[in-house]
Amino acid sequence: MSQRFVVTPAGGGVENPDPAAAPDPPRVDAMPILHYGREPSRYAGDGQSRESSPIINNGDMERESFFEGKNMALFEEEMDSNPMVSSLLNKLANYTNLSQGVVEHEEAEESRRREVKNPGMGTFIGVYLPCLQNILGVILFLRLTWIVGVAGVLESFLIVFMCCTCTMLTAISMSAIATNGVVPAGGSYYMISRSLGPEFGGAVGLCFYLGTTFAGAMYILGTIEIFLTYISPGASIIHAQSPDGEAVAMLHNMRVYGTCTLVLMAMVVFVGVKYVNKLALVFLACVVLSILAIYAGVIKTAFDPPDIPVCLLGNRTLSRRNFDVCAKVLTTNNGTVTTALWGLFCNNSMPSAICDEYFAQNNLTEIQGIPGVASGVFLDNLWSVYTDKGVFVEKQGTPSVPVPEESRSSKLPYVLTDIMTYFTMLVGIYFPSVTGIMAGSNRSGDLRDAQKSIPTGTILAIVTTSFIYLSCIMLFGACIEGVILRDKFGEALQGNLVIGMLAWPSPWVIVIGSFFSTCGAGLQSLTGAPRLLQAIARDGIVPFLQVFGHGKANGEPTWALLLTALICEIGILIASLDSVAPILSMFFLMCYMFVNLACAVQTLLRTPNWRPRFRYYHWTLSFLGMSLCLALMFICSWYYALFAMLIAGCIYKYIEYRGAEKEWGDGIRGLSLNAARYALLRVEHGTLHTKNWRPQVLVMLNLDSEQCVKHPRLLSFTTQLKAGKGLTIVGSVLEGTYLDKHAEAQQAEENIRSLMGIEKTKGFCQLVVSSNLRDGMSHLIQSAGLGGMKHNTVLMAWPESWKEEDNPFSWKNFVDTVRDTTAAQQALLVAKNVDLFPQNQERFSDGHIDVWWIVHDGGLLMLLPFLLRQHKVWRKCRMRIFTVAQVDDNSIQMKKDLQTFLYHLRISAEVEVVEMVENDISAFTYEKTLVMEQRSQMLKQMQLSKTEREREAQLIHDRNTASHSVVAARTRAPPTPDKVQMTWTKEKLIAEKLKNKDANMSGFKDLFSLKPNQSNVRRMHTAVKLNGVVLNKSQDAQLVLLNMPGPPKNRQGDENYMEFLEVLTEGLNRVLLVRGSGREVITIYS
């Protein structure tokens, strides 16, 4: 029952709820009274994820009564995020661990809140007995004697020992994981997924689900085999037309009866799990009584072995279904009479009949099928007897007269082997008999103390069952004749169950007990598998499974049960117990392998949260268990193992690409961090070779007032350029202080990450809050990345609004960013008209990517089109390379050299050399340069706020236009500060106007009589000429890549630099200006 202590002052009345109107709190000298109150738990079923909280969950508190005492006033503002210790302990006391989808718990939830909760199950009832029931099952009763007979005592002991060792090591790992904190409902799936992450958890969880489902099919087939073979052989619906078709008819009967049984069991599970749970005790009693009957029968054979004769013809075992007397003839008073056996081997019952040659030359003998412990048969059963399919079951060491090769007709009453046997196949058939160790962990929600009960109960159950299996192998080998052990279906015992003939007091104890135990195990599988699938579906990690998370109003997984029944039907249609067993062995082995891996990873990583209460584990044991599981998978069946791994791999990749993002604090994430740290340290020490160079891009995004990305196509282009390879950092800058802007920064980061997901840009987001955009961009260029994983290329959009008066700083920030990338030896890509760039969904069916190679930049111009053409958007575009030849250059030789260079670079492209003829500078170029310089002079001091510009417009105009000599002098002066602060009085302003009135008139005349700088004229001439050539050749190109000239060394020419770039790219749709980093990024060498 939940409890809470509320501290109130002694003798206190009702306080004023309005804190503003409340008087000063009275001083309390008396000891506070502890009002002890009981209230129902409000934390168990609130619908919140229990893992999202540091402890359990974050329920809302009642603030009116919570702060009545003033002892915590110092921490009042932090109470929402950091609750008081008393409330934390209250949550822990009220914590309930509900099993997912189990209707009994859901129905009892309300009553639990009102009445005292009954103590949970202990170790013996809650873990030990369920594990015992799940481990001891169909293989023990139907196949263990046959495995001992075929493999011999020694190899059978080895098989059982390997499998039991595997489960014991897995149980140790599972105990460590289960005791490392509270394990909610979900059992093994929960442990694996929370330890190895959603990808591994989903893959292994589904494999475990498939294993549990096929286990249900195996138990149902075992039930039907016991019914049709040992209880009611006459109940067969399909009968064989000839003795050769008996095996096929049996399989058809198994399919029909198995399907009917599956439908019946599914209806029982659908109606209600409570009936299955009520019958569980009955099924468990059947298992325990059967085991006791076996041991009692073994003890009885020591002093009174049963009389169970077995008929041998020579050394061949005969099936005793169609005869009673093991003799060829019987002597009576009237003479000699042939027996029923004679009629089976001869063409008539007369003594003169023609008989089978082997029958005629060999004698019939009778031996005891179960001679007893003291008979010494143990030494005969020590070694293996592996055979092919259809071979006679023969007694070793018995004399026999061989005959020439004969046809092994199924009409003759021999006991033949039904399948080919070998060691690895027997491992696959036997392993399902040691599964079931997860039964205790699956009930973690019902245990009184799961962290104590799961390790103790599971390990004790494995020790008990291992002892039972190993002792049964020794006792079967010591008590039962070898030919009877190898007789899988008891044909030499008139169709009786071999292990049943050993039991005491009656064979029916084993037959009925095994029938009900296998039937119960099938019901348990059909109950557990849908809930496991429902748990996976409700986690939301596999999108297409979400429909199976729903069910009836009471939580029963109806759709999951339907899918489970359909998959189980596949196993039943296989119809052979020996064929189904290796399939589920694969899935269980894979599940156990990842349990061991989870424990080993967590132990080796030494994560701070890895503090299991179970201390008797070590990573070497987990690693040994994992290796043994993997080895057993390939020992059982290498092709089944590969198929199971393929299924798990496909599920893993599907969850990785389409599944929901989950952060469960898993070990694989910790392993990834360790691996990343190791790799970063390795990369840090070495210098990058040219062959390994690829653009590691820092994308500079601009945000609008709503913190949304202005140019989303820039991320599209990044995705097309990177194709998921290398490093991508998406950066942006918010102007202001972090304390004021942290909420907006978080919103902006969420918007950027959302856009990165839409554009499929794989990378990292880094947002900086800085006092101004210029410093923020500089900080990003300097500090983005970590260690050797730093960017080497900056991608940004061209500032389209640089000419607008409302944005006087955009061009200056842009030019300074260009200088920063040059100083940092980083490449720079500037996308002009970026909103015209294609989206990821678009496809260019034709067109060209034109590269204008004017100066050598390290080969980046050649590399970028090659990388772009790897993406579907640009794949069908052809690459053209243009280079410019001067008057003195040999253009023909340049073209040949360029083609040879591209051949060595393994890049296919068309090559064209463009000749630029030297001609006079046009009047248009001269005039354009003049206008540019006039505008530049006007803008030099236009770096004030809008209000200041309106107040001081006349003065700024006077200062810029006073005289040409004043302007020239200022050009040689140090650069003007970014922002000029002036303080003016009215008198000072009037005096300044009068002082410069005459100068203003002459200044206007000088402004319009300026002569352009010759260097600027030459640059403008180059830009105009190049623009004309590029427009002529590449106006219809899908993308144009141009060398980007560097900014001038003199900062006062920055605005002229922007004008040059504008003229250079005028009239082109999509332009990518490229500025190299100063190092070679492409090589002709291998």
Side-chain angles (χ1 to χ4, degrees):
M1 175 63 72
S2 62
Q3 302 166 354
R4 186 163 69 173
F5 297 90
V6 182
V7 183
T8 59
V14 178
E15 292 189 12
N16 191 339
D18 186 3
D24 293 338
R27 182 163 171 255
V28 181
D29 296 327
M31 177 68 70
I33 296 175
L34 293 177
H35 287 276
Y36 179 75
R38 296 173 182 256
E39 65 180 30
S41 167
R42 295 176 291 121
Y43 310 107
D46 56 3
Q48 299 181 13
S49 173
R50 296 186 176 93
E51 306 135 33
S52 62
S53 166
I55 306 296
I56 304 298
N57 60 35
N58 297 315
D60 294 333
M61 297 298 174
E62 299 175 4
R63 296 184 66 89
E64 301 85 57
S65 61
F66 197 72
F67 297 121
E68 287 180 0
K70 305 301 177 185
N71 296 330
M72 300 299 292
L74 188 61
F75 300 96
E76 279 182 9
E77 294 184 357
E78 300 178 6
M79 283 299 172
D80 289 334
S81 58
N82 301 329
M84 286 202 310
V85 175
S86 58
S87 63
L88 183 65
L89 295 176
N90 184 31
K91 292 179 188 179
L92 283 171
N94 292 333
Y95 174 64
T96 59
N97 195 347
L98 300 180
S99 299
Q100 293 182 8
V102 179
V103 64
E104 287 77 19
H105 292 290
E106 294 171 355
E107 291 174 351
E109 184 179 347
E110 290 298 325
S111 61
R112 268 203 204 99
R113 298 186 181 192
R114 292 189 295 268
E115 57 187 88
V116 178
K117 182 182 175 183
N118 294 325
M121 292 184 290
T123 302
F124 186 76
I125 298 295
V127 180
Y128 180 76
L129 290 181
C131 286
L132 208 66
Q133 179 188 356
N134 279 268
I135 295 173
L136 298 173
V138 61
I139 301 296
L140 170 65
F141 300 119
L142 296 183
R143 292 293 183 269
L144 190 60
T145 54
W146 173 71
I147 290 173
V148 174
V150 173
V153 174
L154 292 179
E155 292 186 25
S156 300
F157 194 91
L158 178 62
I159 291 172
V160 175
F161 183 77
M162 278 198 309
C163 295
C164 291
T165 303
C166 176
T167 53
M168 177 59 79
L169 293 173
T170 304
I172 291 172
S173 299
M174 184 190 71
S175 299
I177 298 173
T179 58
N180 186 51
V182 178
V183 179
S188 55
Y189 161 71
Y190 182 92
M191 290 189 297
I192 296 170
S193 61
R194 269 55 175 181
S195 297
L196 291 178
E199 294 87 3
F200 276 112
V204 181
L206 285 176
C207 284
F208 189 52
Y209 162 74
L210 292 174
T212 307
T213 305
F214 274 103
M218 184 188 74
Y219 292 131
I220 291 174
L221 290 175
T223 304
I224 303 306
E225 183 177 313
I226 293 171
F227 177 73
L228 290 178
T229 307
Y230 305 114
I231 296 178
S232 178
S236 299
I237 297 175
I238 301 170
H239 300 282
Q241 300 297 325
S242 64
D244 293 333
E246 287 183 359
V248 177
M250 182 64 178
L251 292 179
H252 289 323
N253 284 307
M254 298 273 283
R255 293 183 180 105
V256 173
Y257 275 97
T259 303
C260 296
T261 307
L262 174 63
V263 172
L264 184 63
M265 287 185 175
M267 290 176 62
V268 171
V269 174
F270 177 77
V271 170
V273 187
K274 55 185 177 182
Y275 301 110
V276 180
N277 290 339
K278 288 178 180 178
L279 291 172
L281 194 60
V282 177
F283 298 143
L284 178 61
C286 291
V287 174
V288 174
L289 288 175
S290 300
I291 299 294
L292 293 176
I294 293 171
Y295 282 108
V298 170
I299 294 171
K300 182 176 178 294
T301 63
F303 54 86
D304 184 18
D307 182 21
I308 303 174
V310 177
C311 188
L312 298 179
L313 177 61
N315 63 353
R316 299 176 184 177
T317 310
L318 297 182
S319 173
R320 208 156 187 165
R321 290 180 182 271
N322 299 319
F323 68 93
D324 294 326
V325 180
C326 183
K328 295 181 181 181
V329 293
L330 290 176
T331 303
T332 63
N333 294 332
N334 296 329
T336 304
V337 180
T338 58
T339 61
L341 190 57
W342 179 280
L344 295 173
F345 281 93
C346 302
N347 59 359
N348 58 57
S349 59
M350 299 301 293
S352 59
I354 300 173
C355 297
D356 180 78
E357 187 176 357
Y358 188 85
F359 179 76
Q361 296 189 16
N362 287 274
N363 297 323
L364 288 169
T365 55
E366 264 191 343
I367 61 172
Q368 285 298 319
I370 303 179
V373 179
S375 63
V377 76
F378 181 80
L379 295 176
D380 297 334
N381 295 330
L382 210 55
W383 309 106
S384 60
V385 185
Y386 297 120
T387 57
D388 290 329
K389 181 180 180 181
V391 175
F392 301 112
V393 176
E394 299 175 340
K395 178 173 172 56
Q396 305 295 321
T398 302
S400 172
V401 179
V403 295
E405 189 67 26
E406 57 184 322
S407 62
R408 297 174 181 178
S409 173
S410 58
K411 295 180 181 179
L412 300 178
Y414 290 122
V415 178
L416 304 175
T417 57
D418 64 329
I419 57 174
M420 186 175 68
T421 53
Y422 44 92
F423 179 81
T424 56
M425 186 266 290
L426 295 181
V427 175
I429 292 176
Y430 173 76
F431 188 81
S433 66
V434 296
T435 59
I437 63 173
M438 301 289 188
S441 64
N442 290 340
R443 294 169 177 244
S444 56
D446 304 322
L447 300 175
R448 187 184 306 121
D449 185 359
Q451 296 192 14
K452 178 183 177 183
S453 298
I454 289 177
T456 308
T458 305
I459 292 175
L460 281 178
I462 292 175
V463 170
T464 305
T465 53
S466 300
F467 172 77
I468 291 173
Y469 281 128
L470 292 172
S471 62
C472 281
I473 286 174
M474 306 297 288
L475 295 175
F476 292 163
C479 293
I480 306 175
E481 183 61 51
V483 291
I484 299 300
L485 289 173
R486 293 192 293 278
D487 184 5
K488 183 187 290 187
F489 301 108
E491 294 180 30
L493 304 177
Q494 297 181 336
N496 289 315
L497 184 62
V498 174
I499 197 173
M501 301 304 288
L502 176 65
W504 181 86
S506 168
W508 286 102
V509 175
I510 296 292
V511 173
I512 300 300
S514 60
F515 176 80
F516 281 111
S517 70
T518 52
C519 185
L523 277 172
Q524 293 285 355
S525 296
L526 286 179
T527 304
R531 279 156 182 76
L532 180 60
L533 181 63
Q534 187 182 46
I536 298 171
R538 285 182 173 178
D539 264 344
I541 58 175
V542 185
F544 71 84
L545 289 181
Q546 289 184 356
V547 65
F548 299 108
H550 309 295
K552 294 193 293 186
N554 56 14
E556 286 294 298
T558 309
W559 293 107
L561 176 61
L562 181 62
L563 179 65
T564 302
L566 292 176
I567 297 174
C568 195
E569 177 65 16
I570 296 173
I572 288 173
L573 292 177
I574 296 174
S576 172
L577 186 69
D578 301 323
S579 300
V580 173
I583 296 176
L584 64 103
S585 293
M586 291 302 121
F587 293 123
F588 278 119
L589 278 167
M590 183 168 292
C591 178
Y592 296 166
M593 180 177 71
F594 279 100
V595 169
N596 286 295
L597 175 64
C599 182
V601 166
Q602 296 278 25
T603 308
L604 288 173
L605 288 178
R606 298 177 182 176
T607 51
N609 193 51
W610 179 246
R611 303 184 300 275
R613 291 187 179 277
F614 181 77
R615 298 293 181 186
Y616 306 103
Y617 72 94
H618 195 266
W619 70 267
T620 52
L621 294 177
S622 301
F623 187 78
L624 179 63
M626 182 185 70
S627 304
L628 188 56
C629 289
L630 186 62
L632 284 174
M633 285 179 68
F634 283 92
I635 285 173
C636 294
S637 174
W638 64 268
Y639 45 89
Y640 277 172
L642 292 178
F643 184 68
M645 288 181 172
L646 179 65
I647 291 176
C650 291
I651 297 170
Y652 178 94
K653 298 306 290 184
Y654 177 81
I655 295 173
E656 186 179 29
Y657 284 110
R658 297 292 305 277
E661 292 288 336
K662 299 285 184 181
E663 176 50 62
W664 287 335
D666 51 87
I668 292 297
R669 186 173 180 84
L671 188 63
S672 301
L673 289 173
N674 270 11
R677 170 185 167 276
Y678 175 77
L680 281 172
L681 291 174
R682 287 284 304 273
V683 173
E684 179 78 12
H685 294 303
T687 56
L688 191 66
H689 194 275
T690 302
K691 290 187 290 186
N692 295 326
W693 194 95
R694 66 165 59 245
Q696 318 285 8
V697 181
L698 169 63
V699 187
M700 305 288 264
L701 294 181
N702 294 325
L703 303 175
D704 57 18
S705 58
E706 301 295 328
Q707 314 308 329
C708 294
V709 178
K710 283 185 179 179
H711 304 294
R713 298 288 181 97
L714 201 60
L715 281 181
S716 303
F717 182 72
T718 305
T719 304
Q720 296 157 24
L721 179 65
K722 300 292 293 178
K725 303 296 190 300
L727 174 70
T728 302
I729 302 173
V730 181
S732 187
V733 180
L734 277 183
E735 197 167 7
T737 61
Y738 186 70
L739 287 177
D740 298 333
K741 296 281 188 176
H742 69 277
E744 295 179 22
Q746 290 179 356
Q747 181 61 43
E749 193 164 344
E750 288 179 10
N751 294 342
I752 293 174
R753 289 186 190 280
S754 174
L755 184 61
M756 288 173 68
I758 295 172
E759 298 294 344
K760 298 180 180 179
T761 305
K762 296 184 181 299
F764 309 98
C765 177
Q766 189 164 350
L767 192 134
V768 172
V769 180
S770 180
S771 57
N772 59 73
L773 294 177
R774 167 75 192 91
D775 290 343
M777 296 176 77
S778 179
H779 294 157
L780 273 178
I781 292 172
Q782 294 177 62
S783 61
L786 178 65
M789 287 295 286
K790 289 182 68 70
H791 62 279
N792 55 28
T793 305
V794 177
L795 172 62
M796 59 191 303
W798 172 262
E800 303 289 349
S801 59
W802 72 274
K803 290 185 178 181
E804 296 178 8
E805 294 183 0
D806 292 340
N807 194 10
F809 292 105
S810 65
W811 60 269
K812 187 168 182 58
N813 291 338
F814 175 81
V815 178
D816 286 341
T817 302
V818 176
R819 287 195 174 96
D820 287 344
T821 57
T822 305
Q825 295 183 335
Q826 296 171 3
L828 177 65
L829 309 178
V830 179
K832 195 167 187 290
N833 302 326
V834 68
D835 293 328
L836 300 178
F837 276 57
Q839 291 181 320
N840 292 327
Q841 296 78 18
E842 298 180 34
R843 302 287 184 270
F844 288 132
S845 58
D846 197 9
H848 295 92
I849 300 176
D850 286 356
V851 177
W852 284 85
W853 192 21
I854 300 166
V855 294
H856 183 54
D857 58 352
L860 187 59
L861 272 172
M862 309 288 182
L863 189 61
L864 291 176
F866 171 78
L867 295 175
L868 282 174
R869 291 180 69 237
Q870 308 301 308
H871 197 271
K872 294 178 181 178
V873 174
W874 306 92
R875 186 163 294 165
K876 294 185 178 180
C877 293
R878 296 184 299 277
M879 181 177 168
R880 295 190 301 191
I881 296 182
F882 297 91
T883 188
V884 177
Q886 301 300 322
V887 179
D888 300 334
D889 295 330
N890 185 342
S891 58
I892 298 176
Q893 187 62 40
M894 280 181 66
K895 184 173 182 179
K896 288 181 179 179
D897 293 343
L898 184 54
Q899 287 173 337
T900 305
F901 181 56
L902 290 177
Y903 174 78
H904 288 305
L905 289 176
R906 290 91 63 202
I907 292 177
S908 58
E910 301 175 21
V911 175
E912 187 170 343
V913 178
V914 179
E915 296 183 357
M916 288 188 67
V917 181
E918 185 70 31
N919 55 7
D920 295 334
I921 296 173
S922 64
F924 169 76
T925 303
Y926 195 85
E927 181 183 353
K928 199 169 184 67
T929 309
L930 182 61
V931 172
M932 175 190 72
E933 289 195 353
Q934 288 175 349
R935 183 175 178 277
S936 299
Q937 294 297 330
M938 291 291 292
L939 288 174
K940 282 221 183 261
Q941 297 295 330
M942 295 284 289
Q943 298 180 11
L944 305 174
S945 68
K946 191 174 181 180
T947 307
E948 289 170 333
R949 288 205 306 271
E950 290 174 356
R951 285 179 52 195
E952 304 179 18
Q954 183 61 44
L955 180 62
I956 293 172
H957 184 74
D958 293 343
R959 289 194 169 196
N960 282 283
T961 60
S963 64
H964 184 60
S965 58
V966 173
V967 172
R970 285 195 177 169
T971 305
R972 294 189 297 271
T976 310
D978 287 350
K979 194 167 184 179
V980 181
Q981 299 290 343
M982 299 181 182
T983 305
W984 293 93
T985 61
K986 186 176 180 181
E987 295 79 7
K988 186 175 180 182
L989 180 60
I990 295 172
E992 189 72 20
K993 284 181 180 179
L994 293 173
K995 179 180 178 182
N996 293 318
K997 186 174 182 180
D998 296 333
N1000 287 344
M1001 299 304 297
S1002 61
F1004 276 113
K1005 295 177 183 178
D1006 290 343
L1007 177 64
F1008 293 106
S1009 63
L1010 279 174
K1011 292 183 179 181
N1013 186 289
Q1014 290 301 314
S1015 176
N1016 289 339
V1017 171
R1018 290 198 309 273
R1019 287 184 173 86
M1020 182 63 74
H1021 176 67
T1022 303
V1024 171
K1025 287 287 293 179
L1026 269 177
N1027 178 254
V1029 173
V1030 172
L1031 276 178
N1032 184 38
K1033 297 287 185 180
S1034 303
Q1035 191 165 13
D1036 297 329
Q1038 303 290 6
L1039 180 65
V1040 177
L1041 282 80
L1042 273 168
N1043 279 118
M1044 181 179 179
K1049 294 180 180 179
N1050 187 352
R1051 288 176 178 267
Q1052 294 186 356
D1054 288 354
E1055 59 274 24
N1056 298 341
Y1057 172 68
M1058 298 294 291
E1059 192 74 45
F1060 294 144
L1061 294 181
E1062 192 74 61
V1063 171
L1064 182 62
T1065 57
E1066 192 173 2
L1068 297 172
N1069 289 331
R1070 304 184 192 93
V1071 182
L1072 187 66
L1073 294 171
V1074 180
R1075 182 162 174 77
S1077 62
R1079 62 160 293 171
E1080 293 292 334
V1081 301
I1082 195 167
T1083 178
I1084 64 174
Y1085 299 105
S1086 62

